[in-house]
Amino acid sequence: AMILLFMGHLTAAREAIERAVDAFNASSEEERLAARAAGQDAGVADLSLMSWALWLLGHVDTAITRMVAAFQRADSIEHPHTQAYACYYASILHALRGELTIAHGHAERCLTLSEEHGFRQWRGLAHAVRGICAMMLGPSPGALEEVRSALDGYRGAGYQLGITALYVLLCPALLLGHEFEAALDLIERGLETANRNNERIFEAELYRLKARVLLDRGGPDAATEAQSLLDQALITARSQQAKALELRAARDLAALWIDQGRREEARHVLARIYGWFTQGFETQDLKEAQALFEQLR
């Protein structure tokens, strides 16, 4: 399930996780406790992975209910490594939803658990997420250096799985500081990882963010290049059924077309995906899409 998720096969990943959850629920507590071969409780891991898959598939609020269930299980068994695992996945999920204060809190807890118990991997990841959230929430001296140091440490230790999640969270923070070249370099790293390791879970988002960087930086061919990248983002998201990422790409493409006077095309591309959603209307992405859609009515 994890492999399928990070490869971007979201529907297959969800189905595999659901089978894993069913098997876990049907097992005895003795069997559940014996299933920590990877260092964390299997039930918590299943629910945490499910939360990411559901968010990407567009089930924005249901993803949170699965994450809450993961924490309930993690805290009930009082297993520190499992708690750190859940905290990290929750920090990414809430950051993706635009809930940066909540994400920062989960990263802090993950960091505390990791430092107390010596969880090297989660410590580095938690440092990165905490720093990214701090950068997005307001001026934070040293936050970018903390993030870069954490990413270098993570890669230097030989870890790679899931690093594109950090890239897509860091890129908007770099844009806030007008660090366009650093953002482009980060995106290229992400696309290289996608091609080398087949980690395509956030491939559509990388294309979208590259378009945003080019538009923000400006230049004679920025709009043309951005159009091509946003088209690619839409194609990729649709092929993966990644509704959350399709919405973001459609929103940015609609905004570009509005600027070009192509209002009917903008309305059509946004309506196609916005009308699919039945939940998550209090999240940042849906609010921004709704505001743009209202502008086009």
Side-chain angles (χ1 to χ4, degrees), residues 99-199:
E99 298 159 344
L100 297 170
T101 301
I102 299 173
H104 189 278
H106 286 306
E108 282 279 14
R109 187 184 178 200
C110 184
L111 185 57
T112 298
L113 286 163
S114 299
E115 289 179 339
E116 181 179 352
H117 297 281
F119 303 145
R120 181 181 178 186
Q121 177 185 4
W122 301 125
R123 182 174 65 241
L125 291 171
H127 267 299
V129 178
R130 184 181 71 172
I132 292 168
C133 291
M135 291 172 66
M136 295 293 289
L137 288 167
S140 181
L144 179 56
E145 187 53 41
E146 177 185 15
V147 176
R148 284 174 170 160
S149 177
L151 289 176
D152 288 344
Y154 186 72
R155 289 188 294 256
Y159 299 123
Q160 293 190 44
L161 184 66
I163 198 167
T164 54
L166 297 173
Y167 291 164
V168 301
L169 293 179
L170 178 55
C171 185
L174 292 172
L175 280 177
L176 283 177
H178 304 290
E179 298 195 40
F180 303 125
E181 299 310 316
L184 286 173
D185 179 66
L186 193 69
I187 291 164
E188 292 306 321
R189 278 179 177 265
L191 291 172
E192 180 184 347
T193 298
N195 291 324
R196 183 181 64 248
N197 298 348
N198 214 21
E199 184 178 304

Side-chain angles (χ1 to χ4, degrees), residues 266-297:
R267 190 195 65 78
H268 177 74
V269 73
L270 189 58
R272 172 177 173 176
I273 180 62
Y274 180 75
W276 179 91
F277 281 85
T278 60
Q279 58 180 253
F281 293 104
E282 295 304 312
T283 59
Q284 178 179 306
D285 285 339
L286 270 295
K287 285 181 177 179
E288 291 178 358
Q290 182 184 24
L292 195 61
F293 196 58
E294 291 297 328
Q295 182 182 335
L296 288 164
R297 286 187 186 277

Side-chain angles (χ1 to χ4, degrees), residues 88-103:
Y88 175 69
Y89 275 84
S91 70
I92 296 291
L93 176 63
H94 283 283
L96 288 168
R97 284 168 53 95
E99 298 159 344
L100 297 170
T101 301
I102 299 173

